[in-house]
Amino acid sequence: MNLSELHTNQEAVIVKIKGHSAFRKRIIEMGFVRGKKVKVVKNAPLKDPIEYKIMDYMVSLRRSEAALVEVVSKEEAKKMASVPYEGTITDEVLRESALERRKIINVALVGNPNCGKTTLFNYASGAREHVGNYSGVTIDAKEGTFKHNGYTFNIVDLPGTYSLSAYSPEEIYVRRHIIEKAPDIVINVIDSSNLERNLLLTTQLIDMDIKVIVALNMYDELKKKGDTFNHKKLGNMLGINFVPTVSSKRQGIDLLFDTAIEIYEDISVNKRRVSINYGSVLENAIDRLQSEIFPDFDLPKDISPRYIALKMLEEDKVFCANLLPNGALPQLQAKNKPIIKKVETDLGDDCETLITDAKYGFIAGALKQTYQESPKVRIRKSEILDTFITHKLFGFPIFFFFMWLMFQSTFTLGQYPMDLIERGVEGLMNLMTNILPAGPFKDLLVNGIISGMGGVVVFLPNILILFFFISFMEDTGYMARAAFIMDKLMHKMGLHGKSFIPLIMGFGCNVPAIMATRTIEDKNNRLITMLINPLMSCSARLPVYILFIGAFFPQHSGTILFGMYGMGIVLAILMARLFRKFLFKDKDVPFVMELPPYRMPTLQTTMRHMWNKGAQYLKKVGGIIMIASIIIWFLQTYPKNVEYTQPYDAQISALQIQQDQLQQDQLKYETNEDAARNVLQDDLQEQVEELKASKYTEQQKGSYIGRLGRFIEPTIRPLGFDWKMGISILSGVAAKEVVVSTMAVIYHRPGNTDKEDQSGLIGNLQASNNSEGEASFTPLVAISFLIFVLIYFPCIGVIATIRRESGTWKWALFTIFYTTALAWLMSFMVYQVGSLII
């Protein structure tokens, strides 16, 4: 708890002092030293300030200052005890509790995109976050906990960002986290092969006056180039510890966290605080703000006054918005205006540019004394590969070949394990059918749960193969090149290349892909990318594609699958163009994106990412899909009292009596009429199966799900769909995999024992007939259905993510309506035009 939370006469022991170093130094000089007991004497009449007793004398602190002092009270010490503590909490027990609490260190990982920050996080915390070789992989804060040398580290992996300005949502998010959460240590992970650009973020952390360690990640690449870097000298110049690391090989990590402990306990050699000198004109402006203007305002105590002055000079609106309470900000800005005007008049440029230039000048000067590039000119492998992969003629064919290879492999390689799993599911269904007594439970288990879940789980190998390819392209750095070569096309559709990566990520899952749009600085580009992302075929649609392609287009499986994904891309381009023309008319922003060096990912990393996605798929199968299968089974099975158009049971019984009589005659008389009897026997059996199928169809029509399906059937009949397809489409609103599980339940044919007809769901779809006795599915209907599934209503998770990322329900609801309307229109055109031609 914080010191400000204590009540009058309550005692506690100080654990740590938070805030910037100048505040920590002042508060410690007043006697607020860790391990010391402090007592609340009284509050002022207006509850602020508060008088405390420490070291036998009285000290007053404002409540905002006391909130930056973490303490352990006697009540907390009782809760922290390993066994219930009934006696009096002595000062010694209280100090021991404070010492135990003090050994918890909160760490934030901050760094440029693609600097290896998440790799370090994964190794340190044991987490399994995805590591990709392009910006925007970490799109939210990831938390982990681990122990090291008797200390507990709570570590947060923040989104990658190039600076702490207000240019993108990531920058705002990271800066807000550092200010509001006040981590004990910030580990600035930098790419050692690109020091000058990465150190800009370091200088901004220096301005914040917080405890910082620099992890020189990928240090092996710097040495491999033959460069020399005296990181200890640079650390002494900046007052910051630099620790070389190679996160992918787990080198230097222990030393990094040993150093974190030293910094935390204030026993590090580099304790000297350094401020970047911005030149006499800017420094005079900073001093004027701090000494003449800030004392008149109640500014936050947890932010360095120097950092506030810099942000005021830069006129950072996002930072300043909540700087002062009670509407006092306009007064502060009015006093700040003349100072800004003088600086810009004297130096001939805006303050933000001047401050950034000064930072780069500081970095250049520091590196000139500590870093020397190898005189040997080396041609990087990345440059050689880029001559082909980003070539204006070869780039697109290579990209489309990789895409086609991915989809072809997904189908062909996945077919073998898919067949094995399908046979296993059928074997389990047969086993349960034979050992369980007839009744509702058996019907639910076999025809509901196993049939529904089994119909989806068979596609797990295809999902794993797809994610293997996506992960490999991300990890190698090829995705960034794909964005580069697609920039001109993206620009023509009103976006830029940076939007391409979230779209490609949509092949995996639309939810993280939409979250990845945070890396797009321009708000309009970000919104357009969100709105068209659901048109990208996510892995949840893949089971539907594979099911229908396997049933109706087995000879052209890879090409059809590639075509479905390609159609999603084309539609996304067209819709983005329309949105840019009619909804978002603001001018485009320039394309700026890092092209990271190619790196060969480890097989372990790629396989781990692949399996993590597969595990998510299985979790969905065991959760939402199982529940959906049960619901669909119930709606399909009940009510039982359906009125049939004819007495099916009596007719089936009469035919079965005739079959029995024929069998008895065949056993009794051995004549030349056996062949005729066999023909008659087969004819009777066929009539029985037809009656059973007719009865089952009428039972389905009369069930709850049949009534719902027939209610919506008029709206989907022009698309070539019947009511069963309509129900499958409705169920896909929860998750697109549920389309398959619903079909597995609805199209299941009970009592079918003909071995050559036991071909699973694919066979059931091929054999399905409508009420007129015609085939429910033709290749044209299958294509129409696939197009509808590609485009229509995204799943609930996508809608919720669009709502969260856009900040309003308006765009989420718009996505629902426009995708569903577009799906109906496209399927209508394909089916009606196709019917005229065929």
Side-chain angles (χ1 to χ4, degrees):
M1 67 186 306
N2 297 327
L3 184 59
S4 60
E5 299 176 54
L6 295 179
H7 305 299
T8 302
N9 294 323
Q10 196 173 3
E11 295 180 341
V13 170
I14 295 172
V15 175
K16 65 179 77 167
I17 311 296
K18 297 180 283 187
H20 56 90
S21 64
F23 171 79
R24 292 198 303 270
K25 182 179 178 183
R26 182 175 70 85
I27 209 83
I28 289 171
E29 288 173 348
M30 294 171 66
F32 289 85
V33 181
R34 67 175 184 266
K36 295 294 182 181
K37 188 170 75 169
V38 60
K39 180 179 180 180
V40 182
V41 178
K42 60 185 174 183
N43 285 261
L46 296 178
K47 300 296 183 181
D48 203 4
I50 307 171
E51 186 176 338
Y52 297 97
K53 181 179 180 181
I54 188 167
M55 294 185 180
D56 293 325
Y57 72 97
M58 306 302 177
V59 179
S60 291
L61 288 182
R62 287 183 176 179
R63 188 171 290 274
S64 59
E65 295 174 326
L68 297 174
V69 181
E70 186 175 331
V71 297
V72 169
S73 65
K74 291 183 177 181
E75 290 74 14
E76 279 190 306
K78 286 183 179 179
K79 295 177 182 177
M80 290 171 63
S82 56
V83 293
Y85 197 87
E86 303 296 340
T88 303
I89 298 291
T90 63
D91 291 349
E92 187 61 31
V93 171
L94 199 55
R95 287 191 178 91
E96 288 177 2
S97 299
L99 179 61
E100 183 181 342
R101 174 66 62 84
R102 179 165 177 79
K103 289 202 169 186
I104 299 174
I105 305 177
N106 299 313
V107 176
L109 293 182
V110 176
N112 285 193
N114 198 47
C115 67
K117 180 169 50 62
T118 303
T119 305
L120 191 154
F121 172 79
N122 284 343
Y123 171 69
S125 66
R128 293 293 181 267
E129 290 303 323
H130 176 220
V131 179
N133 191 14
Y134 64 94
S135 66
V137 175
T138 306
I139 51 182
D140 211 341
K142 307 296 190 300
E143 300 180 1
T145 301
F146 68 99
K147 293 186 180 295
H148 180 76
N149 286 354
Y151 287 80
T152 298
F153 284 86
N154 295 324
I155 186 168
V156 178
D157 178 24
L158 294 172
T161 177
Y162 292 105
S163 73
L164 296 179
S165 62
Y167 189 49
S168 72
E170 282 75 19
E171 295 172 351
I172 298 170
Y173 184 92
V174 172
R175 185 175 68 188
R176 184 179 296 148
H177 180 94
I178 294 173
I179 292 172
E180 295 179 359
K181 302 297 182 181
D184 300 311
I185 302 286
V186 171
I187 295 180
N188 179 204
V189 185
I190 71 175
D191 179 357
S192 299
S193 63
N194 200 337
L195 290 169
E196 187 171 8
R197 190 201 65 202
N198 279 250
L199 284 171
L200 174 65
L201 181 57
T202 310
T203 62
Q204 294 174 331
L205 294 171
I206 291 173
D207 287 336
M208 297 184 80
D209 196 18
I210 55 180
K211 290 184 176 181
V212 179
I213 305 171
V214 172
L216 287 168
N217 205 26
M218 306 177 193
Y219 201 71
D220 55 338
E221 293 187 10
L222 182 144
K223 294 194 293 185
K224 190 176 180 181
K225 290 193 299 181
D227 300 347
T228 56
F229 179 41
N230 191 337
H231 60 84
K232 291 185 179 179
K233 183 178 180 181
L234 182 60
N236 291 332
M237 290 169 59
L238 301 181
I240 294 176
N241 289 74
F242 283 73
V243 181
T245 61
V246 185
S247 298
S248 60
K249 299 177 182 177
R250 304 185 177 185
Q251 296 175 5
I253 308 298
D254 290 340
L255 177 60
L256 178 66
F257 287 100
D258 287 340
T259 307
I261 293 171
E262 293 176 2
I263 296 291
Y264 176 71
E265 296 290 4
D266 293 318
I267 57 175
S268 172
V269 175
N270 282 330
K271 292 194 294 184
R272 180 174 62 91
R273 301 306 302 171
V274 174
S275 294
I276 297 168
N277 191 300
Y278 292 102
S280 58
V281 177
L282 278 168
E283 288 295 333
N284 287 335
I286 294 169
D287 290 341
R288 262 189 81 186
L289 282 168
Q290 289 185 260
S291 59
E292 298 176 19
I293 296 177
F294 286 178
D296 298 333
F297 296 90
D298 185 19
L299 291 167
K301 299 299 184 294
D302 55 342
I303 307 176
S304 164
R306 181 178 176 85
Y307 186 68
I308 295 176
L310 287 167
K311 293 288 106 181
M312 291 295 300
L313 291 173
E314 291 177 345
E315 296 185 285
D316 189 323
K317 295 179 181 178
V318 175
F319 177 85
C320 296
N322 299 314
L323 196 59
L324 286 170
N326 304 323
L329 181 60
Q331 301 173 35
L332 176 59
Q333 290 174 325
K335 293 187 176 184
N336 185 41
K337 283 287 184 185
I339 299 176
I340 293 176
K341 187 174 181 181
K342 185 178 187 314
V343 171
E344 294 180 347
T345 301
D346 291 348
L347 299 179
D349 212 336
D350 64 273
C351 286
E352 185 176 9
T353 302
L354 292 168
I355 290 171
T356 303
D357 288 346
K359 288 182 188 296
Y360 275 117
F362 175 82
I363 293 168
L367 289 178
K368 192 171 184 180
Q369 300 181 52
T370 58
Y371 175 73
Q372 186 174 359
E373 194 171 357
S374 172
K376 185 178 179 181
V377 178
R378 296 168 58 105
I379 300 177
R380 298 172 64 186
K381 293 179 181 177
S382 295
E383 295 172 359
I384 297 173
L385 288 171
D386 277 344
T387 57
F388 296 98
I389 289 178
T390 61
H391 192 272
K392 62 180 180 180
L393 294 179
F394 305 140
F396 280 104
I398 290 173
F399 170 72
F400 287 120
F401 172 75
F402 281 149
M403 293 295 104
W404 177 84
L405 179 65
M406 177 172 71
F407 301 131
Q408 182 70 21
S409 301
T410 297
F411 200 98
T412 54
L413 296 180
Q415 188 64 43
Y416 304 105
M418 178 181 165
D419 291 340
L420 290 175
I421 297 174
E422 189 170 27
R423 283 197 289 270
V425 171
E426 290 175 1
L428 180 61
M429 291 178 67
N430 291 332
L431 177 65
M432 293 296 105
T433 301
N434 294 330
I435 65 174
L436 291 177
F441 175 75
K442 175 183 176 180
D443 193 27
L444 167 63
L445 183 63
V446 176
N447 300 328
I449 297 175
I450 299 178
S451 179
M453 293 175 63
V456 177
V457 79
V458 295
F459 301 106
L460 177 63
N462 309 94
I463 299 292
L464 293 176
I465 293 170
L466 177 69
F467 276 112
F468 178 85
F469 275 92
I470 292 176
S471 177
F472 183 79
M473 289 192 291
E474 289 174 350
D475 296 346
T476 55
Y478 179 72
M479 281 296 197
R481 270 71 184 184
F484 175 78
I485 66 175
M486 294 294 289
D487 175 54
K488 190 170 184 179
L489 178 61
M490 301 298 284
H491 184 78
K492 287 184 179 297
M493 59 188 274
L495 300 172
H496 60 63
K498 215 172 212 184
S499 298
F500 186 68
I501 285 178
L503 295 179
I504 290 295
M505 286 179 67
F507 286 163
C509 179
N510 296 138
V511 171
I514 291 169
M515 293 172 68
T517 59
R518 296 176 188 174
T519 60
I520 303 170
E521 292 85 0
D522 182 68
K523 182 181 178 181
N524 287 340
N525 281 339
R526 193 160 60 247
L527 279 171
I528 293 174
T529 309
M530 283 184 208
L531 295 177
I532 65 174
N533 203 285
L535 297 174
M536 309 308 289
S537 293
C538 64
S539 59
R541 296 179 176 99
L542 186 61
V544 186
Y545 295 164
I546 293 174
L547 172 65
F548 277 80
I549 292 172
F552 303 103
F553 311 101
Q555 303 302 319
H556 309 284
S557 54
T559 304
I560 296 292
L561 188 61
F562 178 71
M564 292 306 302
Y565 280 80
M567 177 178 286
I569 295 173
V570 171
L571 286 173
I573 292 172
L574 294 175
M575 295 310 299
R577 189 71 179 160
L578 290 173
F579 293 155
R580 173 63 72 180
K581 187 174 182 179
F582 296 107
L583 297 180
F584 307 97
K585 298 181 181 180
D586 292 351
K587 62 180 180 180
D588 198 8
V589 296
F591 174 64
V592 180
M593 184 175 179
E594 176 189 7
L595 290 180
Y598 289 100
R599 294 189 176 97
M600 181 56 68
T602 63
L603 182 62
Q604 179 186 7
T605 301
T606 305
M607 295 296 289
R608 185 173 64 195
H609 175 224
M610 178 189 76
W611 177 245
N612 284 345
K613 293 299 182 182
Q616 292 177 18
Y617 182 76
L618 288 177
K619 186 177 180 181
K620 191 183 288 187
V621 170
I624 187 172
I625 292 174
M626 184 179 73
I627 294 171
S629 297
I630 294 172
I631 294 172
I632 294 297
W633 171 85
F634 175 83
L635 294 176
Q636 180 201 24
T637 306
Y638 293 95
K640 290 287 189 179
N641 55 342
V642 175
E643 293 185 7
Y644 297 106
T645 57
Q646 49 185 307
Y648 289 108
D649 292 337
Q651 293 176 7
I652 291 171
S653 297
L655 289 171
Q656 287 176 340
I657 290 172
Q658 293 184 45
Q659 284 181 306
D660 294 340
Q661 186 63 45
L662 280 172
Q663 287 179 350
Q664 291 175 12
D665 291 346
Q666 197 166 5
L667 292 173
K668 187 174 182 181
Y669 305 105
E670 294 184 5
T671 67
N672 294 330
E673 296 179 2
D674 284 351
R677 286 198 182 95
N678 288 336
V679 171
L680 183 58
Q681 184 87 359
D682 292 341
D683 183 54
L684 290 173
Q685 182 61 37
E686 188 176 336
Q687 292 180 49
V688 169
E689 295 300 330
E690 286 179 359
L691 286 171
K692 286 182 177 179
S694 299
K695 178 186 176 182
Y696 182 66
T697 300
E698 287 196 27
Q699 189 275 323
Q700 281 191 313
K701 284 184 176 180
S703 66
Y704 296 124
I705 203 169
R707 296 171 189 177
L708 177 61
R710 283 185 291 167
F711 176 76
I712 66 171
E713 190 172 24
T715 62
I716 58 175
R717 176 56 68 185
L719 315 182
F721 306 161
D722 60 16
W723 67 269
K724 292 184 181 180
M725 299 179 212
I727 291 300
S728 302
I729 288 170
L730 280 180
S731 66
V733 169
K736 292 298 176 285
E737 301 98 332
V738 181
V739 172
V740 176
S741 63
T742 301
M743 286 189 157
V745 175
I746 292 179
Y747 287 96
H748 178 70
R749 290 177 292 164
N752 181 23
T753 57
D754 189 354
K755 279 213 163 183
E756 59 186 37
D757 220 14
Q758 295 276 341
S759 50
L761 180 53
I762 287 178
N764 291 343
L765 294 182
Q766 292 171 335
S768 176
N769 292 326
N770 58 26
S771 56
E772 286 79 29
E774 300 172 349
S776 299
F777 290 97
T778 63
L780 182 60
V781 172
I783 286 290
S784 177
F785 189 83
L786 287 176
I787 290 173
F788 196 93
V789 171
L790 162 68
I791 305 170
Y792 88 110
F793 193 118
C795 70
I796 297 297
V798 171
I799 297 302
T801 305
I802 292 176
R803 156 65 183 88
R804 185 174 65 247
E805 295 299 315
S806 65
T808 175
W809 274 108
K810 178 176 73 173
W811 296 117
L813 295 174
F814 175 76
T815 303
I816 293 173
F817 289 115
Y818 106 77
T819 54
T820 305
L822 180 62
W824 194 95
L825 180 63
M826 290 294 297
S827 292
F828 176 82
M829 291 173 59
V830 167
Y831 180 73
Q832 295 298 333
V833 173
S835 297
L836 291 175
I837 296 173
I838 298 175

